[in-house]
Structure formats: structure tokens, C-alpha cells
Amino acid sequence: MTHDHDGPHEHDLGLSHDLPTLLNRRRALGLLTGAGLAAALAACSGSDSSGSPATTSTPASSSSSTGTTATVTDEVPEETGGPFPGDGSNGVNVLTESGVVRSDIRSSFAGASTTAQGVTAKLELTILDLNGSAVTPYEGAAVYVWHCDREGRYSMYDSQLAGENYLRGVQAADTDGKLAFTTIFPGAYSGRWPHIHFEVYKTAADAQKATGKLRTSQIALPEDACKLVYATSGYEQSSTNLAQTPLDGDMVFSDGHSLQMATVTGNVDDGMTIQLNVAV
């Protein structure tokens, strides 16, 4: 495929290419009660490596808390994987490459070495097993994450990045259901609200075989955090694209995003932290 910034954007190969499947949308499971809820919420509380929110006192260069991490009473909705999944369902497959299970996904691997440029971001997810009214950390569940680069391009598919596989990787959840990736803050391309794709698997071994998939979904990024990042060098086109596609007009998030809207903290100098609780 080619990527032409002057013509129709490749990431908008028509709505038919990127329509949400909308399976299992917001299955009502009732309110969580008792010790199970307390334990789950304790497991889900996010912080940076120092144990406190990554914030600064300068509003012009920092984001103290943007978006809201929803109380988990529903499974994260099923969404389209889009035209650039890299999981073997649409041509190329990165999941079978040795080294795909990694925490830092900024650079390509398995014979490629290009590093994606942009504002550093830490993506922290808590994977929860929702069974009726019971919610528990999903130990061992694996997440495959992929997203576009600062220029709005996807590795493996863009004509300039066909030999690259950066901003893709797999991590398995620990005993608390937590996992984390070091990446860059994604850009915004024409026709879509800024987002991160992910697939949840039962185990890392399943992810590497692309079998036993539990959910495909997308993470929405809050507007104030996007504006903060897109004011930095290299994200100029993202700033323009952000203004052209409102969240409530996005083809994936327009029908609701409460379970997909991340909380973002941090600043562009020290890095942003993106957090979301994901129930499956």
C-alpha cells in the first residue's frame, strides 16, 4: 500500500475498511459489590514509577489528569482492528516474529532497527476478568498493541515503512492483571480520532499464534492531552487533523467511549502516561 499525504489518506480506505464490528456492545452486568470490587479497584489504581501521578505545575506544558478511567461494570466493547492489524488477518503478521513479546515498542525488531520519533508515552493497562458480577485480575492474559507513528503512518503497511514493525508488541499481565508498554504518543491522521489498537489473548503463547483471542478494541485519547502533545515539533499535521474529526463524529467512538477513554497524565518533556482498565 502507499501513503500519500496529498491525496485521500490510506487510513481511510472507506468506512467499509474501518467500520466497527460492534459485537458484545456494553453488555450490562450490573453493579459490582463487596470485597471483589474493593480488590479490583485497588488493583486498578494507576500511578507512575514513583507512586504518584506524573504531573507538573506548568499547565502550558503538562497534563495533570485528562480523561476518566471508567468504573469497570462492563466488558470493553468489540471494535474493528482496522486495515493495518499486522496479526495475519490482513496480510503481514508480526506476531510470529521472534522478539514480539517486549515492553519497549518504539523501535523495529527482527532485522529492522528504525525508531519511531515522538513524545515518549507509557501505556499502562489493567486486564480484568469479568464473570457475571465477579471481577478479578486476569493474570497471564496477553495484549497485542499497535498504533500509528507521529506522522500518522502504520509500520508494515505504509510504502516507506514496509520493512519496519515499530509501535507493535505483546505483553502479558502480572498477578494484578497489569502490563505496560513504552511507546510514543500516537499522531492523529485524517478521518479518525487519536487512538490505540489492541487485542487481548488468553496467554502470550496464544498471541504469538494469533489464537484464543478474547477481544479486539481501541483506546481513545483525551483531547487536552492530544493538544498538549500536538503542539510539539513533528506533530503539526496531527494538530490540524485533530480539529477536523470531533470525538462524537469518530466512526468508532461516536456511539460511546466511556469504557475506552484513557486517563493521561504527565508532560511532553518527561513523557506522558496513558492508563486504562480493560475488562473482558
Side-chain angles (χ1 to χ4, degrees):
M1 297 185 182
T2 61
H3 187 282
D4 186 354
H5 287 287
D6 297 324
H9 200 290
E10 183 177 42
H11 298 93
D12 272 327
L13 295 177
L15 296 184
S16 61
H17 235 321
D18 210 16
L19 280 173
T21 53
L22 302 177
L23 301 177
N24 299 319
R25 297 293 282 170
R26 282 107 176 132
R27 180 166 59 88
L29 295 175
L31 295 175
L32 302 176
T33 59
L37 173 60
L41 292 180
C44 295
S45 59
S47 62
D48 66 9
S49 59
S50 65
S52 60
T55 63
T56 70
S57 59
T58 309
S61 62
S62 67
S63 176
S64 60
S65 181
T66 57
T68 56
T69 302
T71 300
V72 177
T73 57
D74 266 329
E75 294 179 351
V76 68
E78 180 82 8
E79 304 286 10
T80 176
F84 312 109
D87 61 0
S89 63
N90 186 18
V92 293
N93 189 350
V94 74
L95 293 175
T96 57
E97 294 286 351
S98 176
V100 71
V101 179
R102 60 199 187 124
S103 60
D104 191 334
I105 62 174
R106 291 174 293 181
S107 298
S108 293
F109 66 104
S113 59
T114 298
T115 298
Q117 300 300 306
V119 172
T120 300
K122 186 175 183 181
L123 174 61
E124 298 179 342
L125 302 178
T126 300
I127 312 303
L128 301 169
D129 186 5
L130 207 58
N131 183 13
S133 61
V135 56
T136 55
Y138 204 139
E139 180 181 1
V143 176
Y144 165 45
V145 159
W146 73 99
H147 63 80
C148 71
D149 63 13
R150 183 174 63 181
E151 289 77 22
R153 306 171 301 178
Y154 283 86
S155 67
M156 306 178 74
Y157 292 89
D158 186 90
S159 59
Q160 298 178 345
L161 303 175
E164 303 297 337
N165 50 28
Y166 59 50
L167 306 182
R168 300 177 184 272
V170 173
Q171 276 285 282
D174 63 16
T175 56
D176 295 320
K178 294 180 178 295
L179 56 91
F181 295 91
T182 299
T183 184
I184 64 162
F185 199 93
Y189 53 82
S190 178
R192 282 303 314 276
W193 186 261
H195 61 281
I196 297 172
H197 293 270
F198 69 95
E199 295 173 345
V200 183
Y201 291 85
K202 293 180 180 179
T203 66
D206 285 341
Q208 290 175 278
K209 295 182 292 185
T211 60
K213 184 166 59 179
L214 301 174
R215 192 59 46 95
T216 300
S217 197
Q218 299 184 28
I219 300 168
L221 300 174
E223 184 174 11
D224 53 352
C226 292
K227 287 182 175 179
L228 181 67
V229 173
Y230 296 167
T232 64
S233 177
Y235 284 96
E236 291 84 1
Q237 188 60 46
S238 290
S239 182
T240 299
N241 292 336
L242 179 69
Q244 295 175 345
T245 305
L247 179 60
D248 59 7
D250 182 77
M251 59 196 302
V252 170
F253 303 125
S254 60
D255 64 339
H257 48 76
S258 63
L259 298 172
Q260 297 161 281
M261 180 59 71
T263 296
V264 178
T265 57
N267 62 76
V268 296
D269 295 321
D270 300 322
M272 310 295 283
T273 299
I274 304 168
Q275 297 173 311
L276 187 69
N277 300 330
V278 176
V280 295

